[in-house]
Amino acid sequence: MVTQAALANAIRVLAMDSIQAANSGHPGAPMGMAEMAVALWNRHLKHNPADPKWPNRDRFVLSNGHGSMLLYALLHLTGYALPLDQLKNFRQLHSKTPGHPEYGHTPGVETTTGPLGQGIGNAIGFALAEKLLAAEFNRDGFAVVDHASYTFLGDGCMMEGISHEVCSLAGTWKLAKLIAFYDDNGISIDGHVDGWLTDDTPKRFEAYGWNVIRAVDGHDVEAVDRAIRAAKSQNDKPTLICCKTIIGKGSPNKAGGHDVHGSPLGKDEVAATRAALGITEGAFEIPEAVRSAWNALATGAKQQAEWEALFAAYRQAHPALAAEFERRMQGGLHADYAEKSAEALLAVVTKAEVIATRKASQNAIQALAPLLPEFIGGSADLAPSNLTQWKGCRDVNGQAMNEGGNYIHYGVREFGMAAVMNGLVLHGGFRPFGGTFLMFSEYARNAIRMAALMRINPIYVFTHDSIGVGEDGPTHQPVEQIATLRMVPNLDVWRPCDSVETFVAWQIAVEHKTTPTALMLTRQNLPHQPREAEQIKAIRRGGYVLKDCVGTPAAVIIATGSEVALAISAQQSLLKKGFAVRVVSLPSSFVFEQQDQAYRDSVLPRGIPRVAVEAGVTGYWRQYVGLEGAVVGIDRFGECGPAAQVFEFLGVTASKVVEAVEGVVAK
């Protein structure tokens, strides 16, 4: 009979050997959490290693992602397509076992973790998605959505501020199928955490509204198992299982200290650990009996087959619901989406409203929401300003959670909002969007970066996009945020100039499969820009000629957002002075740069002087205007005052654009 100790030691062996082979990594956490993993993965976790995308699997998130060898060992032992050679190649170029788990790279990894605290945020998004989908799709006798979300987290996750944001929300949402395991080993890289972490963590989570199971011996598989069963037996709160562990458990000379946190044990200590644990096998060797006891392929196949039989009966009883559930989980759009979306765009063009682009965005949401049941909107306490709500949306709170809501009031939690959105996308079945002021994208930035890195497609609604905020002053006036967000690889940033471009931006955002989108929207009203049909089509290419001149232009003015109107005004003034210029609207340089060179050259002809205008930092635009061109922008913080006066004071005006064009033409 294979003992629980043998199962745990298999994890320890694979972790310390892989890290030693790489001469890099974090052995302490996987060795310390081994028994916790045995209790969960060997007794409770519902998954099928042969089908990592089975919709009704339990989700597992390793929030303390530096302990990645714990997850890789589990995936390998339970039967995922992660052969031993990949563990031997830990942390090496192009291996399936990178230093921190990466979604889409390693089978069985549900989310990319590493930046501490975000994994628990993603797990909460998973649990929220499960609860809302169950409310929407389950019917009597057909619990087709019924799975748990589990996460391991450590002291670092607890210290990061995001954990406060998201765990507070989880308690408010009563996510009973969320079970978190706190690896309370008291050690971080700097040493014993009692010098800088003296919180009463159980009381903190009880205050959030969690069910807390205290003082569990994390090295006692039976004790952890009992805690999991207790957590699963209640149905009104998320659960935190506080597991007291020894970091690096099994290492005779390094366990319990910070040296084992982020460095290999060393060859001598690996040998000493083997001896202390009574392991006689060589490096990477796991006895066949232990491998067999870990293998979850047969159990997983049985669990999935049972669910598929249930879903087949569900399809017979509720065919429309079944078809919609499958569509949602696969991420496809309704067959008539393109046609109806095009009709809605035509209505926007015809209406030709003079409105703020934040209001144009709300109009787009209103038009698209009936076509997209997967939409789940939200805002970080700024819904009346971000205009992210729409007629017919249902708040996710209280009883509505049991009926399937689709609008989330996140409270003042921008970072938490973005991390939960990532979890909603990764779970499947939802297309989340969330709003805040552009300035506060700074709080959410790392979760935005993680979405881009994971190649997933949440949508960010960032309003109050410039010094047009006016009286709120420089603390709320973004000047560098648009440029720095454009620098994030695989993040599509749109800054539309009117209602038409705003609607197209929403269409593109909805259609993106592997790219998140950030919409930069104004507080102030903007004029409608007349266009021909071909120009409207060209918006989808990220940049296009909005207003051309007769003959070869003396210069090209490139503008985005509210500054497009300044460019048009400057063009008219320049024409009176004898300068024929072209105005190019460039709402998305991300999309524009994906166009072929011939198209880009047709919009921005080579050899013609260029001037860019945008109410923000100027450095980004040098790639388009070169050193010989000019940029009308703001390389300082803003000022408090009415918006028009602030624009005038800071020199973002049509007359300054005229001066800039005259300057580059004269060179």
Side-chain angles (χ1 to χ4, degrees):
M1 180 179 176
V2 176
T3 66
Q4 302 303 299
L7 294 176
N9 286 341
I11 296 172
R12 292 191 172 97
V13 164
L14 293 175
M16 68 181 184
D17 287 348
S18 297
I19 292 166
Q20 190 61 42
N23 196 30
S24 174
H26 299 73
M31 295 176 73
M33 294 189 292
E35 284 82 8
M36 294 161 56
V38 170
L40 176 59
W41 279 67
N42 198 246
R43 300 189 180 189
H44 292 275
L45 193 71
K46 179 175 64 178
H47 65 124
N48 182 4
D51 186 359
K53 294 299 184 181
W54 168 36
N56 204 44
R57 70 193 181 278
D58 290 339
R59 270 65 169 177
F60 175 78
V61 175
L62 185 68
S63 189
N64 43 351
H66 55 271
S68 58
M69 267 312 306
L70 174 76
L71 181 54
Y72 299 149
L74 289 166
L75 294 172
H76 169 72
L77 290 167
T78 56
Y80 286 80
L82 193 67
L84 189 61
D85 284 349
Q86 290 296 333
L87 275 64
K88 293 179 178 180
N89 209 26
F90 178 57
R91 285 191 165 219
Q92 303 309 299
L93 188 65
H94 304 313
S95 77
K96 295 292 184 182
T97 50
H100 294 83
E102 295 181 26
Y103 171 76
H105 187 74
T106 309
V109 171
E110 300 281 5
T111 181
T112 300
T113 55
L116 294 176
Q118 287 195 61
I120 177 63
N122 299 162
I124 288 167
F126 288 143
L128 177 61
E130 192 275 344
K131 185 168 186 174
L132 295 176
L133 287 171
E136 185 175 354
F137 287 99
N138 287 356
R139 293 296 182 268
D140 289 344
F142 296 103
V144 295
V145 182
D146 183 14
H147 52 267
S149 298
Y150 299 100
T151 180
F152 283 7
L153 63 158
D155 291 309
C157 294
M158 290 297 191
M159 285 186 272
E160 288 287 357
I162 187 176
S163 70
H164 297 262
E165 296 183 26
V166 296
C167 292
S168 173
L169 282 169
T172 298
W173 292 336
K174 302 184 184 301
L175 300 178
K177 292 183 180 177
L178 171 68
I179 301 175
F181 299 75
Y182 173 29
D183 177 33
D184 182 13
N185 61 38
I187 296 291
S188 67
I189 290 179
D190 279 0
H192 292 270
V193 301
D194 54 11
W196 48 86
L197 179 64
T198 58
D199 304 3
D200 188 329
T201 299
K203 283 186 179 179
R204 171 186 155 193
F205 275 75
E206 286 170 348
Y208 292 151
W210 286 53
N211 170 43
V212 178
I213 302 175
R214 299 167 177 253
V216 175
D217 181 352
H219 300 302
D220 183 338
V221 173
E222 300 302 328
V224 178
D225 176 72
R226 287 192 297 272
I228 297 171
R229 293 181 188 278
K232 291 167 72 174
S233 70
Q234 59 82 43
N235 60 10
D236 65 344
K237 294 179 180 180
T239 295
L240 178 71
I241 301 174
C242 299
C243 297
K244 194 65 182 175
T245 63
I246 298 171
I247 191 171
K249 174 74 172 177
S251 170
N253 300 303
K254 293 189 176 182
H258 70 276
D259 287 345
V260 77
H261 183 286
S263 300
L265 294 180
K267 291 182 180 179
D268 291 344
E269 189 64 11
V270 167
T273 302
R274 272 192 161 77
L277 295 175
I279 296 170
T280 58
E281 292 80 13
F284 292 102
E285 293 182 4
I286 305 296
E288 284 305 312
V290 174
R291 284 192 173 278
S292 179
W294 264 117
N295 192 292
L297 284 166
T299 301
K302 181 175 181 291
Q303 291 172 327
Q304 183 169 349
E306 290 172 350
W307 179 82
E308 287 175 347
L310 175 68
F311 195 84
Y314 176 73
R315 185 183 287 110
Q316 287 289 323
H318 306 283
L321 280 174
E324 178 65 5
F325 177 78
E326 290 178 313
R327 181 193 71 81
R328 295 264 295 268
M329 293 304 293
Q330 292 166 3
L333 296 171
H334 273 301
D336 61 354
Y337 165 80
E339 179 183 351
K340 291 185 176 180
S341 174
E343 291 172 357
L345 173 58
L346 181 59
V348 173
V349 173
T350 303
K351 199 167 185 179
E353 287 185 287
V354 176
I355 54 174
T357 51
R358 63 169 173 166
K359 178 60 180 174
S361 170
Q362 185 181 47
N363 292 346
I365 294 168
Q366 187 68 58
L368 293 172
L371 312 180
L372 299 163
E374 56 267 45
F375 256 7
I376 183 164
S379 182
D381 202 50
L382 291 167
S385 292
N386 296 150
L387 303 183
T388 42
Q389 290 174 300
W390 67 98
K391 293 177 183 177
C393 67
R394 305 176 309 283
D395 287 352
V396 171
N397 56 38
Q399 185 59 30
M401 290 200 68
N402 299 317
E403 299 170 354
N406 60 2
Y407 190 85
I408 302 172
H409 295 277
Y410 288 97
V412 187
R413 299 181 178 97
E414 295 87 1
F415 195 2
M417 174 179 71
V420 169
M421 287 167 60
N422 286 349
L424 288 167
V425 174
L426 291 163
H427 180 279
F430 289 106
R431 283 300 308 276
F433 60 88
T436 187
F437 290 172
L438 175 55
M439 178 55 65
F440 305 137
S441 66
E442 297 287 355
Y443 288 130
R445 181 174 291 270
N446 200 262
I448 296 169
R449 181 180 187 272
M450 296 298 284
L453 175 63
M454 289 190 282
R455 299 181 64 78
I456 59 176
N457 57 1
I459 301 169
Y460 311 103
V461 180
F462 294 136
T463 67
H464 297 61
D465 71 340
S466 73
I467 56 172
V469 173
E471 291 87 348
D472 279 335
T475 61
H476 284 51
Q477 293 172 1
V479 291
E480 75 274 27
Q481 282 66 33
I482 297 174
T484 56
L485 285 168
R486 286 186 181 125
M487 292 170 65
V488 177
N490 196 43
L491 176 63
D492 188 6
V493 176
W494 279 79
R495 189 167 184 247
C497 74
D498 67 358
S499 61
V500 176
E501 284 191 358
T502 302
F503 195 93
V504 173
W506 265 105
Q507 288 179 310
I508 297 292
V510 166
E511 294 161 18
H512 274 318
K513 298 291 187 184
T514 59
T515 302
T517 305
L519 306 175
M520 310 296 172
L521 306 169
T522 65
R523 176 193 188 191
Q524 70 273 30
N525 288 344
L526 301 183
H528 170 77
Q529 299 296 339
R531 300 171 182 85
E532 300 295 331
E534 287 303 312
Q535 290 175 299
I536 295 171
K537 290 180 182 179
I539 297 172
R540 298 182 66 89
R541 306 188 77 166
Y544 63 103
V545 179
L546 175 61
K547 193 169 183 182
D548 213 348
C549 59
V550 176
T552 302
V556 176
I557 305 174
I558 309 167
T560 75
S562 51
E563 285 69 72
V564 168
L566 298 182
I568 295 294
S569 177
Q571 182 196 44
Q572 295 168 352
S573 297
L574 286 161
L575 184 59
K576 294 176 182 177
K577 293 187 172 190
F579 294 97
V581 301
R582 168 182 291 184
V583 174
V584 168
S585 179
L586 194 69
S588 170
S589 56
F590 177 88
V591 174
F592 183 71
E593 290 302 325
Q594 294 175 18
Q595 307 307 306
D596 60 79
Q597 188 66 52
Y599 176 76
R600 284 181 282 149
D601 287 346
S602 73
V603 174
L604 299 174
R606 296 171 183 263
I608 295 177
R610 302 172 186 174
V611 171
V613 52
E614 186 172 66
V617 293
T618 62
Y620 177 85
W621 290 104
R622 286 293 165 188
Q623 65 185 307
Y624 289 106
V625 304
L627 296 178
E628 298 302 313
V631 185
V632 177
I634 306 168
D635 288 316
R636 50 155 290 179
F637 295 118
E639 290 284 340
C640 177
Q645 295 178 22
V646 174
F647 272 101
E648 183 71 30
F649 176 77
L650 294 175
V652 183
T653 63
S655 62
K656 290 294 184 181
V657 177
V658 169
E659 291 178 15
V661 170
E662 290 175 328
V664 299
V665 171
K667 287 183 178 179

